[in-house]
Amino acid sequence: MPAEQRSGLCDRLLSLGYVEPEQVKEALELQKLRPSTRVGDILLDLGYVEEDHIIEALSEQFDIPFDLHIGEQVDSSLTTKVPINFIREYQMVPYRRNGDAFLVAVTDPANLLPLDDLRLLLGGVVEPVLCRQRDIQGIIDGYFEQQSADAADMIESISMEDEEGTVHALDTIESERDLLDLANEAPIIKLINLLISGAVRERASDIHVEPFEREVRVRYRIDGVLYEKFSVPKSQQAAVISRVKIMANMNIAESRLPQDGRIKIRLSGKEIDIRVSTIPVSHGERVVMRILEKGTFLFSLEELGMDKHDYNQVDKLITSSHGIILVTGPTGSGKSTTLYAALQRVNSPDKNIITVEDPIEYQMPGIGQIQVRPKIGLTFAMGLRHILRQDPDVILVGEIRDHETAEMAVQASLTGHLVFATLHTNDSAGAITRLINMGIEPFLVTSSTLAIMAQRLVRRICQQCKEAYEPERESLIDLGVAPDSVGDRPVYRGVGCKRCQERGYFGRTGIFELLTMSTRVQDLALQGADSNAIKRAAKEEHMRTLREDGASKVLQGVTTIDEVLRVTRDDSANVVAE
């Protein structure tokens, strides 16, 4: 490999003996698909190097000292002088004095301009020192852990104010004291703020506040799984619910009907939207808050987790002049994220892109977005009908729910428009039969549909506590992998550490199943074949199923066997002979 094609980091890793030329070549090829990802991060993801090796090579490349034991020498009196949003944004923080100078932990030696701000803030000389990412994260966690401790202490102090064993009825609490007075008590305001900031710190997508007979349970959904965090005293139920409703501009006097609202806050310098939903249940009102962190949702197509073959196909399909591209999967499977990534790729000044969504989760610059409002007659079908009069090139339909919407989407694709849409089916082949069952003629389905992609989200193994192990033979067979084919290839799992809150997982990625409308698939659909027959034909044409894509990611060390089995229980065509 010519030296000019390699990065300076790669050259130093090679000279230090931490990587082989073939590994560097593979990482650089992958970087072409993920240009926004640094080659060092790719080498880490592939498991070819450790973070310490990267730090040592960067230290040599940029002539900056490194310290792998910063966590043992942090001076909290220095760290608290720096705003937490500065630490999070630039991943740098002063941690110790060295004579008259301040040692500053940094993770990106290519971006040292913010050191000037620290120099002014601290009023002295600053010296950068390279450190691990987890050292910076440990300082951030320490900041937020204090907040979590405050929340727990606050809940405990609120509990102690009640008589031991006393449970107040909801009606009694509301009738004795005005709801506005309850919601504006300072401890309750602080408690809700701490619950929200704690959820953001732990990367939760949702906060659930659930009233029961004797307590109010608070749970966070993290990487798609719910975890219980706190129990709030029953006596504070009305105050907690009312505070959230006030923040979301909802009617606090109405507790008998479901309500929806929205909260906009700024936390650690980041703008966060929170979608709030309340419903009446037997012991009060149940609240779910969906956290939408602005600026972090826009994944590129390369970052979704598709294998190279599927990515190349999708990248080609979304540049088509007309036709329908369907994305299927259950709620929370990442369909919207995939569609937004596709829209980003095709968005350009020479294209008119309009969407009709329910709800509009994220604002996208340069794109017209319509919010569905069924109460006033603005349905998906009506919105789609009027979009066609706006001379669009690309249309996104948030969800095809009925015959009318499906028919409009098909007609739009046949009249020269590229249509992206979602559909709730278990797999890709099921989308064809679903459209036909909605009343769309088979010949219209086959002539308008370009491809159908089914997807799920799986949790990624935490890279800091990742360990190899020997899986049970039965688990591999369930996954669809012949045990003898694994050989000496390691299979990984997460043990649990501070970074991942002892869960063994950190973050999520997608697994995909891409069915293109080949001639054989079209013929089967026209003959009225069921989804199983269509899926078998697609597999014979080398379509990779959801579980097969998941199995590939298990063998790459991205996720675990249990995680793939958990999200693909409905994927039935997975038989592999021993």
Side-chain angles (χ1 to χ4, degrees):
M1 185 193 314
E4 61 270 15
Q5 293 181 10
R6 299 195 301 255
S7 71
L9 174 64
C10 291
D11 284 334
R12 281 159 180 80
L13 287 170
L14 285 166
S15 66
L16 290 168
Y18 290 140
V19 291
E20 300 295 331
E22 296 77 14
Q23 295 172 333
V24 169
K25 184 177 180 180
E26 180 183 353
L28 291 172
E29 286 298 318
L30 283 172
Q31 193 183 34
K32 293 176 183 177
L33 298 176
R34 299 155 58 185
S36 60
T37 307
R38 294 180 297 189
V39 69
D41 292 333
I42 295 174
L43 287 167
L44 280 172
D45 289 343
L46 292 172
Y48 293 154
V49 294
E50 297 177 6
E51 188 178 11
D52 293 0
H53 299 156
I54 297 287
I55 291 172
E56 184 180 347
L58 287 173
S59 173
E60 184 178 305
Q61 181 184 358
F62 289 92
D63 193 24
I64 296 174
F66 69 95
D67 189 339
L68 302 180
H69 304 285
I70 281 176
E72 303 167 6
Q73 39 186 320
V74 174
D75 182 349
S76 58
S77 66
L78 285 179
T79 62
T80 53
K81 291 182 178 181
V82 182
I84 191 69
N85 58 310
F86 181 94
I87 299 174
R88 294 184 86 170
E89 181 175 357
Y90 298 113
Q91 293 291 293
M92 61 172 57
V93 59
Y95 69 96
R96 185 165 63 87
R97 283 183 177 273
N98 182 25
D100 295 331
F102 297 95
L103 298 183
V104 178
V106 302
T107 59
D108 184 1
N111 180 25
L112 298 181
L113 285 176
L115 284 175
D116 292 335
D117 297 329
L118 283 182
R119 189 177 296 111
L120 292 173
L121 186 66
L122 299 172
V125 178
V126 294
E127 298 176 357
V129 178
L130 279 173
C131 72
R132 299 186 184 99
Q133 178 80 32
R134 64 173 178 264
D135 291 328
I136 300 286
Q137 189 60 47
I139 294 170
I140 295 172
D141 289 345
Y143 172 84
F144 280 112
E145 277 170 9
Q146 183 58 48
Q147 287 197 322
S148 295
D150 290 345
D153 291 343
M154 188 179 303
I155 291 170
E156 186 176 347
S157 67
I158 290 172
S159 302
M160 292 174 65
E161 291 175 3
D162 294 327
E163 295 178 15
E164 189 174 348
T166 300
V167 178
H168 301 279
L170 184 61
D171 291 342
T172 304
I173 297 169
E174 290 181 350
S175 61
E176 285 179 357
R177 305 175 69 182
D178 185 87
L179 288 177
L180 278 172
D181 291 336
L182 283 168
N184 282 315
E185 287 182 348
I188 293 300
I189 294 173
K190 188 175 181 184
L191 175 60
I192 298 302
N193 291 344
L194 291 175
L195 292 182
I196 293 173
S197 64
V200 173
R201 173 181 69 88
E202 296 195 36
R203 302 174 298 104
S205 60
D206 301 87
I207 304 171
H208 290 237
V209 182
E210 304 162 329
F212 294 99
E213 185 180 2
R214 293 180 174 271
E215 66 175 5
V216 180
R217 182 173 65 180
V218 177
R219 295 193 290 174
Y220 293 166
R221 186 177 293 279
I222 302 168
D223 293 334
V225 178
L226 281 169
Y227 297 92
E228 185 168 350
K229 300 304 295 183
F230 302 104
S231 287
V232 177
K234 186 73 174 178
S235 62
Q236 300 301 314
Q237 175 175 313
V240 168
I241 303 299
S242 297
R243 174 60 189 165
V244 173
K245 289 169 79 172
I246 285 172
M247 293 174 73
N249 293 315
M250 297 159 73
N251 183 357
I252 64 170
E254 179 56 78
S255 60
R256 300 164 299 172
L257 295 172
Q259 295 188 63
D260 293 306
R262 208 173 188 112
I263 300 171
K264 290 187 177 181
I265 62 171
R266 182 178 290 274
L267 181 65
S268 298
K270 294 183 179 179
E271 287 187 26
I272 296 171
D273 277 353
I274 302 174
R275 220 168 50 228
V276 182
S277 170
T278 67
I279 58 170
V281 292
S282 56
H283 296 290
E285 287 182 276
R286 183 173 181 147
V287 179
V288 174
M289 292 180 271
R290 167 64 58 88
I291 299 171
L292 305 169
E293 204 167 325
K294 287 187 176 180
T296 60
F297 81 99
L298 289 174
F299 289 94
S300 65
L301 209 56
E302 299 90 346
E303 295 171 323
L304 299 179
M306 293 181 206
D307 81 297
K308 188 174 181 179
H309 178 262
D310 285 352
Y311 167 81
N312 288 335
Q313 280 193 294
V314 170
D315 196 36
K316 184 177 179 181
L317 286 165
I318 63 176
T319 59
S320 303
S321 60
H322 62 277
I324 299 178
I325 299 174
L326 289 170
V327 180
T328 75
T331 301
S333 59
K335 300 188 297 295
S336 296
T337 300
T338 297
L339 289 176
Y340 280 126
L343 284 184
Q344 276 192 101
R345 176 58 63 86
V346 301
N347 188 15
S348 62
D350 63 336
K351 282 191 172 64
N352 182 21
I353 302 176
I354 306 179
T355 76
V356 54
E357 307 172 58
D358 184 25
I360 297 173
E361 294 194 12
Y362 301 102
Q363 300 289 338
M364 295 192 70
I367 292 175
Q369 295 173 270
I370 300 173
Q371 168 69 58
V372 169
R373 300 185 188 277
K375 289 181 180 179
I376 60 172
L378 181 51
T379 61
F380 278 110
M382 181 184 179
L384 191 49
R385 186 178 298 112
H386 287 276
I387 282 174
L388 292 174
R389 300 171 188 166
Q390 292 281 315
D391 185 32
D393 298 296
V394 180
I395 301 168
L396 184 148
V397 183
E399 185 182 344
I400 294 178
R401 297 176 179 172
D402 51 40
H403 168 78
E404 190 179 6
T405 308
E407 188 175 46
M408 291 294 301
V410 167
Q411 291 301 324
S413 70
L414 293 174
T415 52
H417 304 90
L418 180 62
V419 179
F420 297 129
T422 72
L423 195 64
H424 281 282
T425 60
N426 285 335
D427 59 11
S428 54
I432 297 174
T433 54
R434 176 76 186 278
L435 288 173
I436 294 171
N437 290 338
M438 281 183 175
I440 306 301
E441 292 291 340
F443 76 91
L444 289 176
V445 173
T446 57
S447 58
S448 63
T449 307
L450 296 174
I452 304 159
M453 184 162 64
Q455 69 178 73
R456 300 288 188 277
L457 291 177
V458 293
R459 292 180 289 174
R460 300 177 69 102
I461 301 171
C462 175
Q463 294 300 306
Q464 287 191 10
C465 59
K466 181 177 176 180
E467 72 165 13
Y469 77 106
E470 187 174 344
E472 295 179 0
R473 191 177 181 87
E474 292 75 14
S475 297
L476 289 171
I477 294 172
D478 287 344
L479 188 64
V481 175
D484 295 338
S485 70
V486 175
D488 296 330
R489 193 184 309 180
V491 175
Y492 293 94
R493 63 187 173 193
V495 180
C497 64
K498 187 175 180 180
R499 177 178 182 249
C500 64
Q501 304 284 322
E502 306 299 331
R503 298 183 186 109
Y505 298 98
F506 191 91
R508 290 190 289 179
T509 190
I511 58 173
F512 301 90
E513 174 181 291
L514 181 63
L515 186 154
T516 53
M517 196 62 70
S518 66
T519 303
R520 187 176 178 192
V521 170
Q522 286 179 329
D523 290 342
L524 286 171
L526 291 171
Q527 294 165 19
D530 63 18
S531 61
N532 288 330
I534 293 172
K535 188 168 188 174
R536 281 195 297 272
K539 285 190 67 176
E540 289 172 8
E541 294 181 336
H542 309 294
M543 181 190 79
R544 180 188 288 199
T545 66
L546 285 167
R547 188 165 289 186
E548 287 168 348
D549 192 34
S552 173
K553 287 181 170 62
V554 167
L555 297 178
Q556 292 170 26
V558 174
T559 189
T560 64
I561 294 174
D562 290 344
E563 187 66 7
V564 173
L565 294 177
R566 178 179 72 86
V567 302
T568 60
R569 290 194 184 111
D570 52 7
D571 192 17
S572 56
N574 297 291
V575 179
V576 173
E578 290 190 52

